[in-house]
Amino acid sequence: KIHSTACRKSSEDNAAGGLQRFSLFGNVDATMVNHLAEEGFCINNTWMMGSTLLFPDAAYLWNITRVADITPESLHMLVLLNPKPAILLVGTGQTTVPLSAETLQFLKSEGISVEVTTTRNAVGTFNFLSEEGRQVAAAMLIPGKDAFRETNRVKKTLVETEAEKEAREKW
């Protein structure tokens, strides 16, 4: 599930590119995504602006902006971990976009199961599995502005509908 909480801005800057280590502050049992925004993620109450690689005990800024850029090379870090994640969740933004056959074959050859979905769904699944203590990793692209325009339009419609319903009940 996604919690919306107060978050502080990370001092890390993704402009330099590559992976940048993110230190989890305080005594934290698991990496949790508290909030999802157009341009980043609030992870354990600290904003990380840009795409991220998430693990149960760490989060990294990830210099990947398109699904086409998710390659065996961009995921090589996964094979260096001990233990390797059993499952990789890939959030591809506001829509589900398949990974290349080469990338899927690489993950399979390393014994890593993969689930590709929207970033919003990947966040929820990551939080659930991370909280359970599972060996999970997530590669998350930012959802972008269009996803939030649609979400806000739907919310506004629902609020207006409920207000209209209340007005009808009074009459």
Side-chain angles (χ1 to χ4, degrees):
K1 63 187 177 184
I2 301 173
H3 300 284
S4 180
T5 60
C7 294
R8 58 185 177 268
K9 293 240 180 201
S10 172
S11 61
E12 297 290 341
D13 185 345
N14 199 19
L19 296 172
Q20 298 176 4
R21 180 77 162 107
F22 170 72
S23 175
L24 299 177
F25 301 109
N27 185 12
V28 177
D29 292 329
T31 301
M32 297 296 288
V33 179
N34 307 103
H35 187 71
L36 177 62
E38 293 175 359
E39 296 177 356
F41 306 87
C42 182
I43 301 168
N44 291 11
N45 299 322
T46 300
W47 280 105
M48 293 184 72
M49 304 313 287
S51 298
T52 62
L53 281 176
L54 303 174
F55 303 95
D57 62 350
Y60 295 87
L61 289 171
W62 191 38
N63 195 23
I64 299 294
T65 57
R66 303 175 310 138
V67 174
D69 297 331
I70 302 175
T71 64
E73 293 79 24
S74 71
L75 297 172
H76 187 72
M77 178 183 198
L78 300 174
V79 302
L80 302 175
L81 298 173
N82 187 15
K84 282 188 230 175
I87 185 168
L88 172 66
L89 303 165
V90 181
T92 59
Q94 65 179 339
T95 60
T96 302
V97 180
L99 299 180
S100 70
E102 176 189 17
T103 301
L104 292 173
Q105 180 57 40
F106 164 73
L107 293 167
K108 182 179 180 180
S109 72
E110 292 296 334
I112 301 171
S113 297
V114 63
E115 180 180 335
V116 180
T117 186
T118 65
T119 297
R120 184 177 303 279
N121 289 339
V123 163
T125 303
F126 176 82
N127 281 350
F128 179 79
L129 295 175
S130 180
E131 195 170 45
E132 280 190 340
R134 304 272 300 273
Q135 288 299 320
V136 63
M140 307 275 199
L141 299 181
I142 59 173
K145 294 181 181 181
D146 291 339
F148 286 89
R149 282 191 195 117
E150 179 63 16
T151 300
N152 289 336
R153 184 190 63 76
V154 170
K155 282 181 183 175
K156 183 178 179 183
T157 301
L158 290 174
V159 169
E160 290 171 352
T161 302
E162 288 180 23
E164 289 171 357
K165 182 180 174 184
E166 287 177 18
R168 276 193 310 257
E169 288 174 358
K170 287 182 181 178
W171 289 101

